[in-house]
Amino acid sequence: MLDEQGNPRGFGIEEEYLLLDAKTGMPANGAEQVIRDVDSAAQPTEHEFLASQLETATPVCTTAEEAESSLRGFRDTVAQTAERQGMVLASSGLPPLGGDTEGTVTPKSRYQLIREEMRGVAAHQYAIGTHVHVAVPSRDAGVEVIDRISRWMPVLLALTANSPLWCGNDTGFASWRYIQGLMWPISGYPPSFADGAQYEDAVARLIDTGVLIDAGHLTWTARLSANYPTVEVRIADAQLEVGESVAFAVIVRALVNRALREIAESIPRPQLGPGIVDGAIWIAARNGLRSDLTDPVVADTVPAFTLVDRMIATVEEELQFSEEWDRVQQYLDGLRERGGPADRQLLAHENGGIDALLKLYRSGSHASR
């Protein structure tokens, strides 16, 4: 629960966003203009792969309040800047319209190389997510953590699935972003590695053979960060509301803390059959919180919130210690009452089409509204 220096374990959140035309809801190539007009010293704002995408990252945080303050400040500032330019800052895993139009790649050499190498896979890569970094003491510990949290990946996706619409249609999936991500050369959940050296060797081989451009091109839904001493959980879609992003992040931190405690207590890693984690995640991408989920460890299928409760029970001690139990319970109560973000998008679309969706996106981007 505390890190190796006796401090609360650090974490950070990277959030990606879409810029949509305020009238049509189509992706708008306004990232350069928005970034130019925002005080990046106060609100770090970065380009992403397409000109209709941008991202930010919190500083290293030890409390949920720090992360929430950072993200709320960003969303409010950048959303207002975008509105003045005729755009909406949207936190949806995919744009509801316009995905069939080839995206304009940001003029950065690495992005241009990805476009060239990935061809049609990259042409419509509008997907955006919420990535959570949690500090780990070593690469060896990191690969063990990735193994130990694998059981809960279906739950984490079901909680955060937020991309049910594509090209104006209901895909039948709560997270179509996840399904699209399976087109990348290295995707899904990573295999088990004996230690950090074996992990690094595997990534190096993928780069040397041309499968990957670089370590940052690795699209596993959990990985060791190439730049920080962290485990990076990348499974979540972008979240409609800041509070949901932060609650998700502290759940991830609690799971990492629990995994590190198991390592210290010499509890064996879970033994999972081939394909079971990826299969269970696929079901979560389809069902979200609306139906059943599969527990990869005990290989049973149960109502979604039964598996949610099963996961949260394993980290109650960690959440109580960090004084985040109440925050997480409020988050889960909200999901039970209102449905997941994918459900809310579908409801808005059914009731009011693109205008209602844009209103929903705005409501999550303005702290003062």
Side-chain angles (χ1 to χ4, degrees):
M1 291 176 246
L2 298 177
D3 66 15
E4 294 61 50
Q5 288 73 47
N7 302 311
R9 189 166 303 281
F11 72 100
I13 305 172
E14 295 179 20
E15 278 203 326
E16 299 167 342
Y17 306 87
L18 289 163
L19 292 168
L20 305 180
D21 184 276
K23 293 181 179 179
T24 67
M26 299 281 284
N29 294 331
E32 179 65 34
Q33 186 177 356
V34 169
I35 291 171
R36 188 172 57 244
D37 291 352
V38 169
D39 180 1
S40 59
Q43 300 293 342
T45 311
E46 301 290 340
H47 293 280
E48 247 297 330
F49 181 64
L50 296 182
S52 56
Q53 301 167 323
L54 47 80
E55 70 172 356
T56 192
T58 69
V60 177
C61 302
T62 57
T63 68
E65 289 75 17
E66 292 175 272
E68 185 164 3
S69 175
S70 174
L71 294 181
R72 285 197 187 282
F74 176 88
R75 288 199 189 195
D76 201 37
T77 299
V78 178
Q80 291 183 46
T81 301
E83 290 280 1
R84 288 194 293 270
Q85 298 168 7
M87 294 176 288
V88 173
L89 185 72
S91 290
S92 170
L94 291 170
L97 296 174
D100 50 344
T101 301
E102 183 170 342
T104 301
V105 178
T106 298
K108 181 178 177 181
S109 59
R110 180 173 179 272
Y111 292 152
Q112 297 290 341
L113 180 58
I114 291 173
R115 174 66 183 91
E116 179 182 340
E117 292 291 316
M118 296 300 105
R119 304 179 188 180
V121 171
H124 307 278
Q125 194 53 237
Y126 291 97
I128 60 168
T130 299
H131 305 160
V132 179
H133 289 258
V134 183
V136 290
S138 67
R139 308 291 270 184
D140 289 347
V143 297
E144 280 219 44
V145 165
I146 290 171
D147 263 9
R148 291 171 186 275
I149 66 175
S150 61
R151 177 183 186 180
W152 306 118
M153 285 299 114
V155 186
L156 296 180
L157 179 57
L159 291 172
T160 57
N162 187 34
S163 50
L165 298 164
W166 183 245
C167 298
N169 297 313
D170 180 353
T171 64
F173 281 73
S175 179
W176 193 241
R177 166 187 169 271
Y178 176 80
I179 300 301
Q180 286 194 346
L182 297 177
M183 294 189 292
W184 290 92
I186 301 297
S187 59
Y189 205 74
S192 182
F193 295 98
D195 52 32
Q198 189 182 57
Y199 178 99
E200 298 294 353
D201 181 65
V203 175
R205 286 173 180 268
L206 290 168
I207 295 169
D208 290 344
T209 55
V211 175
L212 297 178
I213 292 170
D214 52 35
H217 191 207
L218 186 64
T219 54
W220 281 327
T221 50
R223 68 185 188 185
L224 300 182
S225 171
N227 301 313
Y228 306 104
T230 63
V231 165
E232 182 183 1
V233 174
R234 303 164 52 83
I235 200 163
D237 288 353
Q239 295 300 280
L240 289 173
E241 300 176 8
V242 167
E244 293 178 321
S245 294
V246 174
F248 170 73
V250 299
I251 290 172
V252 171
R253 179 171 69 164
L255 289 170
V256 172
N257 275 326
R258 169 68 186 224
L260 291 169
R261 180 154 63 96
E262 290 178 356
I263 295 170
E265 295 172 358
S266 300
I267 296 172
R269 300 191 206 186
Q271 299 298 310
L272 300 172
I276 186 66
V277 174
D278 280 334
I281 295 172
W282 190 94
I283 289 173
R286 184 189 65 191
N287 294 353
L289 296 171
R290 291 173 287 183
S291 181
D292 293 338
L293 297 175
T294 297
D295 184 331
V297 166
V298 298
D300 66 349
T301 299
V302 296
F305 279 103
T306 297
L307 198 55
V308 171
D309 292 340
R310 196 177 289 177
M311 177 185 73
I312 295 300
T314 69
V315 291
E316 180 175 357
E317 182 177 347
E318 284 75 15
L319 291 170
Q320 293 282 11
F321 182 86
S322 60
E323 299 183 346
E324 291 159 347
W325 177 258
D326 289 344
R327 174 186 288 270
V328 168
Q329 291 304 311
Q330 290 172 8
Y331 165 59
L332 298 178
D333 288 345
L335 293 175
R336 286 185 173 94
E337 180 181 348
R338 299 186 297 160
D343 299 321
R344 278 171 264 153
Q345 287 217 51
L346 289 172
L347 182 62
H349 186 251
E350 180 181 350
N351 290 338
I354 190 62
D355 289 341
L357 281 170
L358 291 174
K359 182 178 180 180
L360 179 67
Y361 302 150
R362 287 188 180 97
S363 70
S365 296
H366 290 282
S368 57
R369 298 184 187 182

